């Protein structure tokens, strides 16, 4: 092995990240050290400066959520064998470029499934129970429940899910506990009832026009870009969220 600028250029993993703190980075560094690799770390504001130093030597890239890697960046990764996205979506990585340069791309399919589905339910409850309006009123030191407006009972309302992957399935499971009727649209699944969840799989127009609450659970790509636009909003219920 040979050393260059304080790292092993023959066994280098490069972390591209703007979120991890020192403790998390040190834990990762120790994990890779035990496997014979050095870990280099770059933030968005240091990436261009670090690029000539690390790009030619990195055997693998850890791409943290929100850190964009385009073809111009990928083509200089001449030693790279794998780019691992530390989340579900590939929208921050130019997949076509990775394929073009023979680099394997991976993700973490189970990343934050519980957390995102919990947050989805939190937003549904906040909208339905008008928590923002309640909070604003309390902040002003007043409480007039009649001014908040009508609140519909959640039970019996239709929750429409666009996309029915891991997160959406968890949302459906949790929503059923609140008595919501759940419909889902996913072009890669047959139109039927989802076994075990009592979810009705319907076409796009149905999920849009019949939903009281619409929740999107699709990756950002050419197929889904502007999937829900003004023309779609016009066909939704006036009372829908």
């Amino acid at each position: 092995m040979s050393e260059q600028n304080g790292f092993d250029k023959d066994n280098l993993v490069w972390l591209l990240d703007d979120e991890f703190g020192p403790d998390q980075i040190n834990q990762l560094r120790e994990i890779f050290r035990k496997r014979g690799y050095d870990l280099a770390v770059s933030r968005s504001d240091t990436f261009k400066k670090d690029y000539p130093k690390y790009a030619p030597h990195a055997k693998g890239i850890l791409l943290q959520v929100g850190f964009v890697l385009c073809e111009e960046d990928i083509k200089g990764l001449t030693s790279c064998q794998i780019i691992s996205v530390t989340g579900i979506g590939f929208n921050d990585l130019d997949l076509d470029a990775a394929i073009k340069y023979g680099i394997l791309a991976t993700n973490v399919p189970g990343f934050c499934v519980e957390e995102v589905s919990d947050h989805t339910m939190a937003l549904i409850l906040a909208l339905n129970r008008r928590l923002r309006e309640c909070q604003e009123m309390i902040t002003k030191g007043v409480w007039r429940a009649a001014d908040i407006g009508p609140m519909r009972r959640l039970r019996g309302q239709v929750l429409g899910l666009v996309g029915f992957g891991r997160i959406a399935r968890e949302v459906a499971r949790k929503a059923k506990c609140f008595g919501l009727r759940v419909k889902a649209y996913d072009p890669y699944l047959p139109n039927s009832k989802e076994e075990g969840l009592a979810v009705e799989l319907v076409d796009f127009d149905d999920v849009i026009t019949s939903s009281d609450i619409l929740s999107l659970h699709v990756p950002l790509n050419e197929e889904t870009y502007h999937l829900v636009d003004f023309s779609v909003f016009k066909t939704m219920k006036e009372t829908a969220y």
Side-chain angles (χ1 to χ4, degrees), residues 175-222:
K176 298 295 287 186
C177 297
F178 285 89
L180 283 159
R181 177 185 170 194
V182 183
K183 292 185 175 184
Y185 162 74
D186 194 316
Y188 298 101
L189 295 174
N191 286 358
S192 62
K193 283 201 172 182
E194 179 66 15
E195 292 297 327
L197 288 175
V199 172
E200 188 179 353
L201 299 179
V202 297
D203 61 27
F204 185 71
D205 289 340
D206 188 323
V207 80
I208 294 298
T209 58
S210 65
S211 293
D212 298 293
I213 304 158
L214 189 69
S215 187
L216 307 183
H217 299 274
V218 293
L220 176 61
N221 54 37
E222 291 182 359

Side-chain angles (χ1 to χ4, degrees), residues 7-239:
F7 65 91
D8 183 355
K9 71 176 185 179
D10 295 321
N11 295 280
L12 179 67
V13 174
W14 193 10
L15 170 64
L16 306 178
D17 162 70
D18 284 323
E19 295 186 7
F20 287 159
D23 290 342
Q24 292 168 299
I25 290 174
N26 287 335
Q27 289 174 4
L28 278 174
R29 183 167 280 122
E30 181 62 16
I31 289 171
F32 283 109
R33 185 194 65 78
K34 290 180 179 179
R35 288 157 177 80
Y37 289 90
D38 281 349
L39 181 70
V41 182
S42 292
R43 308 296 196 182
S44 292
D45 58 353
T46 65
F47 176 70
K48 293 302 180 185
K49 177 176 68 71
D50 292 342
Y51 189 86
K53 180 179 178 181
Y54 298 132
H57 309 296
K59 297 297 188 294
I61 302 288
L62 282 178
L63 186 62
Q64 178 65 305
V65 174
F67 203 116
V68 177
L69 205 59
C70 63
E71 180 172 4
E72 187 66 22
D73 305 319
I74 293 170
K75 72 179 182 180
L77 302 174
T78 52
S79 299
C80 189
Q81 300 173 17
I82 184 170
I83 298 173
S84 180
V85 177
T86 60
I88 297 175
F90 283 111
N91 45 293
D92 291 331
L93 172 65
D94 189 332
L95 269 178
D96 291 335
I99 293 169
K100 176 180 175 180
Y101 293 102
I103 302 174
L104 179 66
T106 65
N107 66 343
V108 185
F111 180 79
C112 279
V113 169
E114 284 292 339
E115 290 78 3
V116 177
S117 58
D118 284 349
H119 198 76
T120 302
M121 290 307 304
L123 293 174
I124 290 171
L125 290 167
L127 287 168
N128 189 73
R129 303 308 303 169
R130 297 179 178 265
L131 294 189
R132 182 179 62 84
E133 292 92 330
C134 293
Q135 178 63 29
E136 288 177 351
M137 191 177 293
I138 292 171
T139 300
K140 294 175 183 176
V142 296
W143 180 255
R144 294 188 299 272
D147 291 349
I148 297 172
M151 295 186 188
R152 293 180 57 199
R153 179 179 295 172
L154 198 60
R155 180 175 296 277
Q157 292 191 52
V158 175
L159 169 63
L161 304 173
V162 177
F164 201 57
R166 291 176 176 86
I167 293 174
R169 288 167 190 261
E170 273 302 295
V171 172
R173 184 180 65 79
K174 293 168 183 177
K176 298 295 287 186
C177 297
F178 285 89
L180 283 159
R181 177 185 170 194
V182 183
K183 292 185 175 184
Y185 162 74
D186 194 316
Y188 298 101
L189 295 174
N191 286 358
S192 62
K193 283 201 172 182
E194 179 66 15
E195 292 297 327
L197 288 175
V199 172
E200 188 179 353
L201 299 179
V202 297
D203 61 27
F204 185 71
D205 289 340
D206 188 323
V207 80
I208 294 298
T209 58
S210 65
S211 293
D212 298 293
I213 304 158
L214 189 69
S215 187
L216 307 183
H217 299 274
V218 293
L220 176 61
N221 54 37
E222 291 182 359
E223 187 178 3
T224 60
Y225 183 68
H226 284 181
L227 178 65
V228 176
D229 57 13
F230 183 66
S231 65
V232 170
F233 283 126
K234 288 196 298 184
T235 65
M236 294 175 68
K237 295 179 180 180
E238 289 187 6
T239 56

